[in-house]
């Protein structure tokens, strides 16, 4: 990593599109997850990744940081992790006889919060201010975080023993929930072939990953995304989708207005990445699942009947009229 940020490219979209191929040199078969993280960065949001161990979640974040020339830090969340271990703390300096602030791992561009649901709520909540305000307060003193700043949290969808499920208020702070499935047979063979040829996931430079974009490109791209036009009929369509989740019989809690604004942002980012300066209904439908799925909570009886959140979303997308 170089200390000086790269200058923004004349067309930031080109660099960010190349980024997906660059990350693909190390992470095989997870294009949807790469796109989800990129959309999160464009919208200045945070991403929750769900997947079983061993599907390259950590490698994905490290590769993304390398291709964007950003700093990254990984925190392994455990039951004994304290809030100060995340945000930093005041340390007594014997040389000056004063307390000085020692920055925690949250002071980075891409923060990988690994297995976030394995730490108690007190430590989970230490991230809330950082995620929402882009700052942390220690001893009453607010301290700004680097820009860009993105929390990429992971959780295991299978093993729940000894975990602390994220409360609704914190789940709603995540812009997207991306799933990383197990690879299909052909993809897994490609992964093993790469390792057999000498690929080392700890040596990204040897894998050929280099910076193809920068923080400057992200800033320019984020500004361009906010200029993407959206028709009033599309705005109404987003609202109707959010309202339909609240009225779904299986849902105990539907999508909030914050979730509707999140879908507006992610649909705009996807339209911009697709080379358009306007949003279509297809953009909204493509991003509705990752933007909404973690904001819907099912009734216990619905879960017992085998109903899933994605199933509820399929019904909502099929029932709400699409604007023409």
């Amino acid at each position: 990593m170089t200390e000086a940020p790269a200058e923004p490219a004349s067309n930031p979209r080109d660099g960010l599109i190349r980024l997906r191929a660059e990350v693909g040199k190390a992470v095989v078969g997870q294009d949807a997850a790469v796109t989800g993280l990129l959309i999160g960065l464009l919208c200045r949001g945070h991403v929750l990744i769900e997947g079983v161990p061993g599907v390259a979640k950590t490698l994905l974040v490290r590769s993304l940081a390398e291709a964007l020339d950003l700093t990254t830090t990984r925190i392994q969340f455990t039951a004994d992790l304290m809030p100060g271990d995340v945000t930093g703390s005041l340390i007594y300096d014997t040389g000056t006889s004063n307390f000085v602030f020692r920055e925690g791992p949250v002071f980075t561009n891409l923060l990988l919060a690994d297995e976030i649901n394995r730490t108690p709520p007190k430590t989970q909540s230490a991230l809330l201010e950082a995620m929402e305000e882009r700052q942390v307060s220690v001893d009453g003193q607010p301290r700004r975080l680097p820009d860009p700043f993105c929390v990429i949290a992971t959780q295991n969808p299978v093993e729940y023993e000894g975990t602390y499920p994220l409360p609704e208020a914190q789940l709603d702070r995540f812009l997207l929930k991306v799933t990383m499935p197990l690879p299909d047979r052909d993809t897994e063979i490609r992964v093993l072939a790469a390792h057999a040829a000498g690929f080392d996931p700890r040596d990204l430079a040897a894998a050929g990953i280099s910076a193809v974009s920068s923080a400057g490109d992200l800033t320019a791209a984020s500004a361009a995304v906010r200029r993407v036009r959206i028709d009033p009929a599309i705005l109404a369509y987003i609202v109707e989708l959010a309202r339909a989740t609240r009225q779904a019989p299986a849902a105990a809690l539907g999508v909030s207005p914050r979730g509707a604004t999140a879908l507006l942002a992610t649909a705009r980012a996807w339209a911009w990445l697709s080379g358009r300066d306007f949003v279509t209904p297809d953009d909204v439908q493509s991003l509705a699942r990752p933007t909404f799925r973690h904001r819907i909570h099912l009734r216990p009886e619905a879960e017992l009947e085998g109903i899933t959140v994605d199933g509820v979303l399929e019904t909502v997308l099929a029932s709400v009229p699409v604007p023409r």
Side-chain angles (χ1 to χ4, degrees), residues 2-244:
T2 58
E3 291 296 330
E7 292 296 323
S10 57
N11 185 355
R13 184 188 290 112
D14 292 343
L16 293 175
I17 289 175
R18 290 199 306 272
L19 179 142
R20 288 187 281 187
E22 198 70 15
V23 173
K25 294 178 180 178
V27 182
V28 180
Q30 297 291 357
D31 294 341
V34 175
T35 301
L37 293 184
L38 181 53
I39 288 175
L41 285 167
L42 287 173
C43 299
R44 296 176 60 84
H46 310 286
V47 181
L48 179 63
I49 300 179
E50 189 169 87
V52 299
V55 292
K57 297 186 291 292
T58 301
L59 180 61
L60 171 59
V61 176
R62 290 179 55 238
S63 302
L64 184 68
E66 191 75 23
L68 281 169
D69 197 24
L70 299 177
T71 61
T72 183
T73 305
R74 175 179 175 269
I75 306 176
Q76 181 65 51
F77 278 74
T78 56
D80 59 350
L81 196 73
M82 299 297 291
D85 298 328
V86 176
T87 62
S89 56
L90 293 174
I91 303 296
Y92 184 72
D93 187 343
T94 57
T96 62
S97 299
N98 290 319
F99 284 94
V100 295
F101 178 67
R102 184 179 65 186
E103 292 184 351
V106 75
F107 285 85
T108 188
N109 295 129
L110 300 184
L111 176 67
L112 176 59
D114 213 357
E115 295 191 282
I116 191 174
N117 57 339
R118 290 202 173 276
T119 201
K122 183 177 182 180
T123 305
Q124 290 175 2
S125 65
L127 279 178
L128 278 177
E129 182 186 14
M131 293 170 67
E132 192 67 18
E133 305 296 338
R134 264 60 178 189
Q135 69 177 29
V136 296
S137 296
V138 177
D139 197 31
Q141 178 70 34
R143 303 173 192 273
R144 298 299 300 174
L145 295 172
D147 184 34
F149 172 72
C150 177
V151 174
I152 303 170
T154 73
Q155 62 181 20
N156 184 341
V158 177
E159 188 180 354
Y160 290 104
E161 184 177 351
T163 63
Y164 304 84
L166 294 175
E168 290 81 358
Q170 187 157 355
L171 281 172
D172 208 30
R173 295 303 199 280
F174 287 98
L175 182 75
L176 296 166
K177 179 181 178 182
V178 175
T179 58
M180 289 185 67
L182 289 167
D184 58 33
R185 180 179 181 274
D186 291 341
T187 300
E188 196 163 1
I189 289 175
R190 289 168 58 197
V191 171
L192 264 66
H195 281 263
F199 171 70
D200 182 356
R202 292 172 291 275
D203 188 357
L204 296 180
I209 295 180
S210 58
V212 296
S213 193
S214 65
D217 290 333
L218 278 177
T219 300
S222 296
V225 166
R226 291 191 294 271
R227 294 193 295 269
V228 171
R229 294 180 289 112
I230 183 161
D231 190 88
I234 304 291
L235 288 175
Y237 180 50
I238 292 173
V239 170
E240 290 304 321
L241 289 174
R243 292 176 64 85

Side-chain angles (χ1 to χ4, degrees), residues 284-304:
V284 174
Q285 292 172 350
S286 296
L287 272 299
R289 295 170 187 83
T291 308
F292 278 178
R293 62 165 57 108
H294 57 297
R295 307 174 195 270
I296 298 172
H297 296 268
L298 300 177
R299 299 182 185 278
E301 58 269 25
E303 293 185 279
L304 290 174

